[in-house]
CSV table of all heavy atoms in Angstrom, one decimal:
chain,number,residue,atom,x,y,z
A,233,GLN,N,-29.1,15.4,-6.1
A,233,GLN,CA,-29.3,15.1,-4.7
A,233,GLN,C,-29.4,13.6,-4.5
A,233,GLN,O,-29.3,13.1,-3.4
A,233,GLN,CB,-30.5,15.8,-4.1
A,233,GLN,CG,-30.3,17.3,-4.0
A,233,GLN,CD,-29.1,17.7,-3.1
A,233,GLN,OE1,-28.9,17.3,-2.0
A,233,GLN,NE2,-28.1,18.4,-3.7
A,234,ALA,N,-29.8,12.8,-5.5
A,234,ALA,CA,-29.9,11.4,-5.4
A,234,ALA,C,-28.6,10.6,-5.3
A,234,ALA,O,-28.6,9.4,-5.0
A,234,ALA,CB,-30.7,10.8,-6.5
A,235,ILE,N,-27.5,11.3,-5.6
A,235,ILE,CA,-26.2,10.6,-5.6
A,235,ILE,C,-25.7,10.3,-4.2
A,235,ILE,O,-25.9,11.2,-3.3
A,235,ILE,CB,-25.1,11.5,-6.4
A,235,ILE,CG1,-25.5,11.7,-7.8
A,235,ILE,CG2,-23.8,10.8,-6.3
A,235,ILE,CD1,-24.7,12.7,-8.6
A,236,CYS,N,-25.1,9.2,-4.0
A,236,CYS,CA,-24.6,8.8,-2.7
A,236,CYS,C,-23.1,9.0,-2.8
A,236,CYS,O,-22.4,8.5,-3.6
A,236,CYS,CB,-24.9,7.3,-2.4
A,236,CYS,SG,-24.1,6.7,-1.0
A,237,TRP,N,-22.6,9.9,-1.8
A,237,TRP,CA,-21.2,10.2,-1.9
A,237,TRP,C,-20.4,9.5,-0.8
A,237,TRP,O,-20.8,9.4,0.4
A,237,TRP,CB,-21.0,11.7,-1.6
A,237,TRP,CG,-21.7,12.5,-2.7
A,237,TRP,CD1,-22.9,13.2,-2.6
A,237,TRP,CD2,-21.3,12.7,-4.1
A,237,TRP,NE1,-23.2,13.8,-3.7
A,237,TRP,CE2,-22.2,13.5,-4.7
A,237,TRP,CE3,-20.2,12.3,-4.8
A,237,TRP,CZ2,-22.2,13.9,-6.0
A,237,TRP,CZ3,-20.1,12.7,-6.2
A,237,TRP,CH2,-21.1,13.5,-6.7
A,238,LEU,N,-19.2,8.9,-1.2
A,238,LEU,CA,-18.4,8.1,-0.2
A,238,LEU,C,-17.1,8.8,-0.1
A,238,LEU,O,-16.3,8.9,-1.1
A,238,LEU,CB,-18.3,6.7,-0.7
A,238,LEU,CG,-19.5,5.9,-1.1
A,238,LEU,CD1,-19.1,4.6,-1.8
A,238,LEU,CD2,-20.2,5.5,0.3
A,239,GLU,N,-16.7,9.1,1.1
A,239,GLU,CA,-15.3,9.6,1.4
A,239,GLU,C,-14.5,8.4,1.7
A,239,GLU,O,-14.7,7.7,2.8
A,239,GLU,CB,-15.3,10.6,2.5
A,239,GLU,CG,-13.9,11.1,2.7
A,239,GLU,CD,-13.8,12.0,4.0
A,239,GLU,OE1,-14.8,12.4,4.6
A,239,GLU,OE2,-12.6,12.2,4.4
A,240,ALA,N,-13.7,7.9,0.7
A,240,ALA,CA,-12.9,6.7,0.9
A,240,ALA,C,-11.7,6.7,0.0
A,240,ALA,O,-11.6,7.5,-0.9
A,240,ALA,CB,-13.8,5.5,0.6
A,241,ASP,N,-10.9,5.7,0.2
A,241,ASP,CA,-9.7,5.5,-0.6
A,241,ASP,C,-9.9,4.4,-1.6
A,241,ASP,O,-10.5,3.3,-1.2
A,241,ASP,CB,-8.6,5.1,0.4
A,241,ASP,CG,-7.2,5.0,-0.2
A,241,ASP,OD1,-7.1,5.1,-1.4
A,241,ASP,OD2,-6.2,5.0,0.6
A,242,ALA,N,-9.5,4.6,-2.8
A,242,ALA,CA,-9.7,3.6,-3.8
A,242,ALA,C,-9.0,2.2,-3.4
A,242,ALA,O,-9.3,1.2,-4.0
A,242,ALA,CB,-9.2,4.1,-5.2
A,243,TYR,N,-8.1,2.3,-2.5
A,243,TYR,CA,-7.4,1.1,-2.1
A,243,TYR,C,-8.3,0.3,-1.1
A,243,TYR,O,-7.9,-0.9,-0.8
A,243,TYR,CB,-6.1,1.4,-1.4
A,243,TYR,CG,-5.0,1.8,-2.3
A,243,TYR,CD1,-4.8,3.1,-2.8
A,243,TYR,CD2,-4.1,0.8,-2.8
A,243,TYR,CE1,-3.9,3.5,-3.7
A,243,TYR,CE2,-3.1,1.2,-3.8
A,243,TYR,CZ,-3.0,2.5,-4.2
A,243,TYR,OH,-2.1,2.9,-5.1
A,244,LYS,N,-9.4,0.9,-0.6
A,244,LYS,CA,-10.2,0.2,0.3
A,244,LYS,C,-11.7,0.7,0.1
A,244,LYS,O,-12.2,1.6,0.8
A,244,LYS,CB,-9.8,0.6,1.7
A,244,LYS,CG,-10.1,-0.5,2.7
A,244,LYS,CD,-9.3,-0.3,4.0
A,244,LYS,CE,-9.5,-1.4,5.0
A,244,LYS,NZ,-10.7,-1.4,5.8
A,245,ILE,N,-12.3,0.2,-1.0
A,245,ILE,CA,-13.6,0.7,-1.3
A,245,ILE,C,-14.6,0.1,-0.4
A,245,ILE,O,-14.7,-1.1,-0.2
A,245,ILE,CB,-14.0,0.2,-2.8
A,245,ILE,CG1,-12.9,0.8,-3.8
A,245,ILE,CG2,-15.3,0.7,-3.2
A,245,ILE,CD1,-13.0,0.4,-5.2
A,246,PRO,N,-15.4,1.0,0.3
A,246,PRO,CA,-16.3,0.4,1.3
A,246,PRO,C,-17.6,-0.1,0.7
A,246,PRO,O,-18.7,0.3,1.1
A,246,PRO,CB,-16.6,1.7,2.2
A,246,PRO,CG,-16.5,2.8,1.2
A,246,PRO,CD,-15.5,2.4,0.2
A,247,LEU,N,-17.5,-1.0,-0.2
A,247,LEU,CA,-18.7,-1.7,-0.8
A,247,LEU,C,-18.4,-3.2,-0.8
A,247,LEU,O,-17.3,-3.7,-0.8
A,247,LEU,CB,-18.8,-1.2,-2.2
A,247,LEU,CG,-19.2,0.3,-2.4
A,247,LEU,CD1,-19.2,0.7,-3.9
A,247,LEU,CD2,-20.5,0.6,-1.8
A,248,GLN,N,-19.6,-3.9,-0.9
A,248,GLN,CA,-19.5,-5.4,-0.9
A,248,GLN,C,-19.0,-6.0,-2.2
A,248,GLN,O,-19.0,-5.3,-3.2
A,248,GLN,CB,-20.9,-5.9,-0.6
A,248,GLN,CG,-21.3,-5.7,0.8
A,248,GLN,CD,-22.7,-6.3,1.1
A,248,GLN,OE1,-23.4,-6.7,0.3
A,248,GLN,NE2,-23.0,-6.2,2.4
A,249,ASP,N,-18.4,-7.2,-2.0
A,249,ASP,CA,-18.0,-7.9,-3.2
A,249,ASP,C,-19.1,-8.1,-4.2
A,249,ASP,O,-20.3,-8.2,-3.8
A,249,ASP,CB,-17.5,-9.4,-2.8
A,249,ASP,CG,-16.4,-9.4,-1.8
A,249,ASP,OD1,-15.9,-8.3,-1.4
A,249,ASP,OD2,-16.0,-10.5,-1.5
A,250,ASN,N,-18.8,-8.1,-5.5
A,250,ASN,CA,-19.8,-8.4,-6.5
A,250,ASN,C,-21.1,-7.5,-6.4
A,250,ASN,O,-22.2,-8.1,-6.6
A,250,ASN,CB,-20.2,-9.9,-6.5
A,250,ASN,CG,-19.0,-10.8,-6.5
A,250,ASN,OD1,-18.1,-10.6,-7.2
A,250,ASN,ND2,-19.0,-11.8,-5.6
A,251,SER,N,-20.9,-6.2,-6.1
A,251,SER,CA,-22.1,-5.4,-5.9
A,251,SER,C,-22.4,-4.4,-6.9
A,251,SER,O,-23.4,-3.8,-6.9
A,251,SER,CB,-22.1,-4.8,-4.5
A,251,SER,OG,-20.9,-4.0,-4.4
A,252,ILE,N,-21.5,-4.1,-7.9
A,252,ILE,CA,-21.6,-2.9,-8.7
A,252,ILE,C,-21.6,-3.4,-10.2
A,252,ILE,O,-20.8,-4.3,-10.6
A,252,ILE,CB,-20.3,-2.0,-8.5
A,252,ILE,CG1,-20.3,-1.5,-7.1
A,252,ILE,CG2,-20.3,-0.8,-9.5
A,252,ILE,CD1,-21.4,-0.6,-6.6
A,253,ASP,N,-22.5,-2.8,-11.0
A,253,ASP,CA,-22.6,-3.2,-12.4
A,253,ASP,C,-21.4,-2.6,-13.3
A,253,ASP,O,-20.9,-3.3,-14.2
A,253,ASP,CB,-23.9,-2.7,-13.0
A,253,ASP,CG,-25.1,-3.5,-12.4
A,253,ASP,OD1,-25.1,-4.7,-12.6
A,253,ASP,OD2,-25.9,-2.9,-11.7
A,254,PHE,N,-21.1,-1.3,-13.0
A,254,PHE,CA,-19.9,-0.8,-13.7
A,254,PHE,C,-19.3,0.4,-12.9
A,254,PHE,O,-20.0,1.1,-12.2
A,254,PHE,CB,-20.2,-0.4,-15.2
A,254,PHE,CG,-20.9,0.9,-15.4
A,254,PHE,CD1,-20.2,2.1,-15.5
A,254,PHE,CD2,-22.3,1.0,-15.7
A,254,PHE,CE1,-20.9,3.3,-15.8
A,254,PHE,CE2,-22.9,2.1,-15.9
A,254,PHE,CZ,-22.2,3.3,-16.0
A,255,ILE,N,-18.0,0.5,-13.1
A,255,ILE,CA,-17.2,1.5,-12.4
A,255,ILE,C,-16.7,2.4,-13.5
A,255,ILE,O,-16.1,1.9,-14.5
A,255,ILE,CB,-16.1,0.9,-11.6
A,255,ILE,CG1,-16.6,0.1,-10.4
A,255,ILE,CG2,-15.2,2.0,-11.0
A,255,ILE,CD1,-15.6,-0.5,-9.5
A,256,TYR,N,-17.0,3.7,-13.3
A,256,TYR,CA,-16.5,4.7,-14.2
A,256,TYR,C,-15.3,5.5,-13.5
A,256,TYR,O,-15.5,5.8,-12.3
A,256,TYR,CB,-17.6,5.7,-14.6
A,256,TYR,CG,-17.3,6.9,-15.3
A,256,TYR,CD1,-17.5,7.0,-16.7
A,256,TYR,CD2,-16.8,8.1,-14.7
A,256,TYR,CE1,-17.2,8.1,-17.4
A,256,TYR,CE2,-16.5,9.2,-15.4
A,256,TYR,CZ,-16.7,9.2,-16.8
A,256,TYR,OH,-16.4,10.4,-17.5
A,257,SER,N,-14.2,5.7,-14.1
A,257,SER,CA,-13.2,6.4,-13.4
A,257,SER,C,-12.4,7.2,-14.4
A,257,SER,O,-11.6,6.7,-15.3
A,257,SER,CB,-12.2,5.4,-12.8
A,257,SER,OG,-11.2,6.0,-12.0
A,258,ASN,N,-12.5,8.6,-14.3
A,258,ASN,CA,-11.9,9.5,-15.3
A,258,ASN,C,-10.7,10.2,-14.6
A,258,ASN,O,-10.8,10.9,-13.7
A,258,ASN,CB,-12.9,10.5,-15.7
A,258,ASN,CG,-12.4,11.5,-16.8
A,258,ASN,OD1,-11.6,11.1,-17.7
A,258,ASN,ND2,-12.7,12.7,-16.7
A,259,LEU,N,-9.5,9.8,-15.2
A,259,LEU,CA,-8.2,10.5,-14.8
A,259,LEU,C,-8.0,10.5,-13.3
A,259,LEU,O,-7.6,11.5,-12.6
A,259,LEU,CB,-8.2,11.9,-15.3
A,259,LEU,CG,-8.1,12.0,-16.8
A,259,LEU,CD1,-7.8,13.5,-17.2
A,259,LEU,CD2,-7.0,11.2,-17.4
A,260,MET,N,-8.2,9.3,-12.7
A,260,MET,CA,-7.9,9.1,-11.3
A,260,MET,C,-6.7,8.1,-11.0
A,260,MET,O,-5.8,8.4,-10.2
A,260,MET,CB,-9.1,8.6,-10.5
A,260,MET,CG,-9.0,8.6,-9.0
A,260,MET,SD,-8.0,7.4,-8.2
A,260,MET,CE,-9.1,6.0,-8.3
A,261,ILE,N,-6.7,7.0,-11.8
A,261,ILE,CA,-5.8,5.9,-11.4
A,261,ILE,C,-4.3,6.3,-11.6
A,261,ILE,O,-3.5,5.6,-11.1
A,261,ILE,CB,-6.2,4.6,-12.1
A,261,ILE,CG1,-6.1,4.6,-13.6
A,261,ILE,CG2,-7.5,4.1,-11.5
A,261,ILE,CD1,-6.3,3.2,-14.2
A,262,GLN,N,-4.0,7.3,-12.4
A,262,GLN,CA,-2.6,7.7,-12.5
A,262,GLN,C,-2.1,8.2,-11.1
A,262,GLN,O,-0.8,8.3,-11.0
A,262,GLN,CB,-2.4,8.8,-13.5
A,262,GLN,CG,-2.9,10.2,-13.2
A,262,GLN,CD,-4.4,10.3,-13.6
A,262,GLN,OE1,-5.1,9.4,-13.9
A,262,GLN,NE2,-4.9,11.5,-13.5
A,263,TRP,N,-3.0,8.5,-10.2
A,263,TRP,CA,-2.5,8.9,-8.8
A,263,TRP,C,-2.3,7.7,-7.9
A,263,TRP,O,-2.0,7.8,-6.8
A,263,TRP,CB,-3.6,9.8,-8.2
A,263,TRP,CG,-3.6,11.2,-8.9
A,263,TRP,CD1,-4.5,11.6,-9.8
A,263,TRP,CD2,-2.6,12.2,-8.8
A,263,TRP,NE1,-4.1,12.8,-10.3
A,263,TRP,CE2,-3.0,13.2,-9.7
A,263,TRP,CE3,-1.5,12.4,-8.0
A,263,TRP,CZ2,-2.3,14.4,-9.8
A,263,TRP,CZ3,-0.8,13.6,-8.2
A,263,TRP,CH2,-1.2,14.5,-9.0
A,264,CYS,N,-2.6,6.5,-8.4
A,264,CYS,CA,-2.5,5.3,-7.6
A,264,CYS,C,-1.3,4.4,-7.9
A,264,CYS,O,-1.1,3.9,-9.0
A,264,CYS,CB,-3.8,4.4,-7.8
A,264,CYS,SG,-5.3,5.3,-7.3
A,265,ASP,N,-0.4,4.4,-6.9
A,265,ASP,CA,0.8,3.6,-7.1
A,265,ASP,C,1.1,2.9,-5.7
A,265,ASP,O,1.3,3.6,-4.8
A,265,ASP,CB,2.0,4.5,-7.4
A,265,ASP,CG,3.3,3.8,-7.8
A,265,ASP,OD1,3.1,2.6,-8.2
A,265,ASP,OD2,4.4,4.4,-7.7
A,266,PRO,N,1.0,1.6,-5.7
A,266,PRO,CA,0.9,0.6,-6.7
A,266,PRO,C,-0.5,0.5,-7.3
A,266,PRO,O,-1.5,0.5,-6.5
A,266,PRO,CB,1.3,-0.7,-6.1
A,266,PRO,CG,1.1,-0.5,-4.7
A,266,PRO,CD,1.2,0.9,-4.4
Side-chain angles (χ1 to χ4, degrees):
Q233 293 302 304
I235 300 168
C236 169
W237 300 103
L238 303 169
E239 183 186 347
D241 189 346
Y243 284 86
K244 207 165 186 279
I245 302 174
L247 294 173
Q248 290 183 350
D249 299 1
N250 307 317
S251 59
I252 301 293
D253 291 297
F254 78 86
I255 295 181
Y256 171 97
S257 185
N258 183 39
L259 294 187
M260 190 287 280
I261 61 172
Q262 70 276 8
W263 292 100
C264 298
D265 189 24

